[in-house]
Amino acid sequence: MEQSSAPLWEQLKQFQEKERIWLHVPAHSGGFGLPLEMATDFSTYARFDLTELPGLDDLHHPSGVIAQAQALAAQVWQAKQSYFLVNGASAGVRAMVLATCNPGDTILIPRNAHGSLYHALVFSGAIPRYLPIAEGDGFPLNVTVEAVSEGFKRYPEAKALFLTSPSYFGVTANIGKIAAIVRQAKAYLLVDEAHGGHLDFSVQLPSSAALFCDMRVQSWHKTLGALTPGAVLHCHSERVDKKRLLMALHGVQTSSPPYPLLASLDLVRQRMALTGEEVVQSVVATAATVRKLLASHFPLLTREDVKMQGFDLDVTRITLLTAQVGLSGIDIGHQLASKGIDIELALPDCVLAIVGLGYKKEGNRRLATVLDALIATKGDVAMLPLPDLPELVLTPRQAAYRRVVGIQLSEAEGSIAATTVVSYPPGIPLLLPGERISCELIGYIENALECGVILRGLDNCQHIQVCKDEVSE
């Protein structure tokens, strides 16, 4: 089949040509049963919100148009097989671990991994061994080649390395050198490339993981214009047990996949196959303009900065290092939002802006005007340095099955966490189930809350769930 075709989308369009009588789910029957408040705006979408009817294939047992669409995606992204994900890249992360790790297997994990990985550890029973993240002037970058090498020396039995590249801030690891270490250890290289679906289409961006990994997951809704939470898992290795991978995918995905989302994945693939280089080049050029505008007001994380430390940077991710000039990123984010400029992330020490495919260049003039009018209130916005990695006392799976009790965070020193404490976005945990809560960590969390960071894992009264049998007296 030619890349110019979009088999799933074309089948859905053909399906609409005949007037249908809906005696099947979903119950809105093509939009007529939607609440009146949304019926007009969502009527077109609802016509494509179908189920596994004859000719529309089945995501969990594809043999027709979905199978064709996935095969075309595999060709473009140089994979053995590609699998559409309707539960986001999070589902793909869980599936990769479930397909490769057994209970008791060791998996190496840099600490910047997304929170969905820790659900995979509970499901699989794998034992995590965490690797530190390098920093530049206190800003998290990614895992170094040396840290990966040291990890395999300490844990030669490790079954897999889970790598997040690019990071949420667009910093990519030296995946070529890391892959060589992983291959020598005869382990799997699993890559969360959620923010890197576009990397394959431009030599002006860092290299993707395509030539190095066993599997990778991409969030096409984050980078390529698919509907949220559309994503894809690419399998690049014959070593992966395909039957086990399919079983894992069945377990982490809904049995009622939304066809509009699947169609958006098919059409994104078609666009990238035909004009991907042109599309990404345009985004890179636009990002350069936005970057120049922002750089006239704030210091930025630059490609040159991270390359000096062995990393690379996706320039479409623009990080404003506000703390370096004594400004609160959260305050800057609020000011921008009040003027109708919505950024991806605001933290006490930085702001993250993402230039996507749909960004309109006309917005630059308004952005420049708003930046000129910002009120720069300087103060002490520095957060405490990240504490050492917590002690792992129980595996995430062991902690998940312990009885739990809620206690005040300030009184939790020495207790074993039964929950994840995570800033979201970006979804990188400070504390994980099974880890001992230290005095330093409590201080860091309290400082983060005072600085305006929003954390999941604590209630409004700053109670935290801990393992009841392990509560410190």
Side-chain angles (χ1 to χ4, degrees):
M1 181 166 286
E2 298 293 330
Q3 289 289 346
S4 58
S5 66
L8 177 54
W9 171 247
E10 291 161 7
Q11 186 69 15
L12 287 170
K13 290 284 286 184
Q14 183 179 340
F15 193 82
Q16 303 296 331
E17 293 175 358
K18 183 183 296 186
E19 185 176 351
R20 327 294 303 198
I21 295 176
W22 286 51
L23 293 174
H24 57 78
V25 297
H28 63 64
S29 302
F32 298 104
L34 288 173
L36 293 178
E37 293 80 0
M38 65 186 304
T40 300
D41 290 336
F42 282 80
S43 60
T44 300
Y45 179 98
R47 289 194 296 109
F48 292 91
D49 188 21
L50 296 157
T51 189
E52 294 91 341
L53 298 170
L56 299 185
D57 211 355
D58 179 354
L59 179 64
H60 292 284
H61 187 69
S63 58
V65 289
I66 294 177
Q68 294 168 14
Q70 292 184 149
L72 289 169
Q75 291 176 15
V76 177
W77 275 267
Q78 306 173 69
K80 303 290 184 185
Q81 178 67 52
S82 295
Y83 303 90
F84 288 170
L85 302 173
V86 294
N87 283 42
S90 296
V93 165
R94 297 176 186 121
M96 288 194 300
V97 175
L98 288 168
T100 53
C101 294
N102 298 319
D105 282 346
T106 297
I107 180 170
L108 301 182
I109 304 170
R111 195 66 180 198
N112 64 344
H114 187 264
S116 59
L117 175 62
Y118 305 100
H119 306 145
L121 296 175
V122 173
F123 298 160
S124 68
I127 300 173
R129 299 299 180 187
Y130 299 112
L131 305 181
I133 296 300
E135 297 183 356
D137 295 327
F139 186 84
L141 298 173
N142 215 312
V143 66
T144 64
V145 175
E146 293 75 18
V148 172
S149 178
E150 180 61 28
F152 276 105
K153 287 178 182 177
R154 292 186 63 188
Y155 305 104
E157 76 282 4
K159 188 78 169 291
L161 168 69
F162 185 92
L163 182 67
T164 302
S165 182
S167 72
Y168 191 71
F169 298 94
V171 180
T172 58
N174 190 329
I175 197 162
K177 290 185 177 180
I178 288 173
I181 296 170
V182 176
R183 284 195 297 270
Q184 187 174 7
K186 295 182 172 57
Y188 292 103
L189 179 54
L190 312 176
V191 180
D192 180 353
E193 204 175 59
H195 289 269
H198 57 308
L199 298 184
D200 292 280
F201 299 92
S202 176
V203 295
Q204 294 182 278
L205 295 175
S207 299
S208 76
L211 301 179
F212 306 104
C213 66
D214 291 287
M215 289 186 281
R216 58 176 171 156
V217 172
Q218 298 174 335
S219 286
W220 286 6
H221 74 97
K222 289 184 173 74
T223 57
L224 300 179
L227 293 176
T228 301
V232 177
L233 187 157
H234 302 296
C235 182
H236 293 270
S237 173
E238 297 290 355
R239 299 194 305 148
V240 176
D241 185 331
K242 301 304 187 298
K243 291 182 179 180
R244 181 167 171 174
L245 176 58
L246 284 172
M247 185 180 298
L249 286 168
H250 293 168
V252 298
Q253 299 226 79
T254 177
S255 60
S256 301
Y259 273 83
L261 188 155
L262 290 171
S264 77
L265 294 175
D266 190 22
L267 288 169
V268 160
R269 184 274 318 154
Q270 180 194 52
R271 175 169 64 183
M272 298 309 293
L274 300 180
T275 62
E277 292 184 9
E278 177 184 335
V279 167
V280 176
Q281 176 58 35
S282 176
V283 175
V284 171
T286 301
T289 304
V290 176
R291 182 174 283 271
K292 185 177 180 179
L293 271 175
L294 293 170
S296 66
H297 293 77
F298 304 97
L300 305 182
L301 182 68
T302 69
R303 198 168 189 180
E304 293 74 21
D305 291 337
V306 302
K307 279 192 169 184
M308 290 174 60
Q309 301 183 67
F311 304 104
D312 204 347
L313 181 68
D314 171 10
V315 293
T316 69
R317 270 58 183 157
I318 307 174
T319 302
L320 288 60
L321 302 173
T322 56
Q324 289 189 7
V325 288
L327 299 177
S328 165
I330 291 177
D331 178 59
I332 296 299
H334 286 162
Q335 289 192 56
L336 292 171
S338 71
K339 301 299 183 182
I341 297 176
D342 300 311
I343 44 84
E344 174 69 17
L345 173 68
L347 293 174
D349 55 353
C350 68
V351 168
L352 174 63
I354 294 179
V355 179
L357 276 64
Y359 180 82
K360 297 180 180 179
K361 296 178 182 178
E362 296 78 18
N364 289 342
R365 181 177 300 177
R366 182 177 171 195
L367 176 60
T369 301
V370 171
L371 289 171
D372 289 338
L374 286 177
I375 301 173
T377 304
K378 294 195 175 184
D380 183 11
V381 296
M383 291 182 62
L384 294 173
L386 276 170
D388 293 336
L389 294 181
E391 174 193 1
L392 181 66
V393 180
L394 302 172
T395 69
R397 185 168 187 164
Q398 289 171 333
Y401 291 99
R402 294 294 179 100
R403 293 186 298 165
V404 302
V405 61
I407 62 174
Q408 198 72 31
L409 174 65
S410 59
E411 301 173 356
E413 181 181 356
S415 297
I416 308 304
T419 189
T420 300
V421 177
V422 57
S423 169
Y424 200 96
I428 299 170
L430 296 169
L431 180 69
L432 294 163
E435 294 181 339
R436 191 180 302 280
I437 303 171
S438 67
C439 177
E440 293 75 16
L441 183 61
I442 292 173
Y444 182 88
I445 292 173
E446 290 176 340
N447 173 248
L449 292 170
E450 290 173 4
C451 290
V453 177
I454 298 174
L455 296 174
R456 295 180 181 178
L458 303 173
D459 66 16
N460 293 334
C461 298
Q462 292 190 27
H463 288 101
I464 185 171
Q465 297 294 312
V466 299
C467 296
K468 187 173 183 180
D469 298 337
E470 307 287 343
V471 174
S472 178
E473 298 296 336

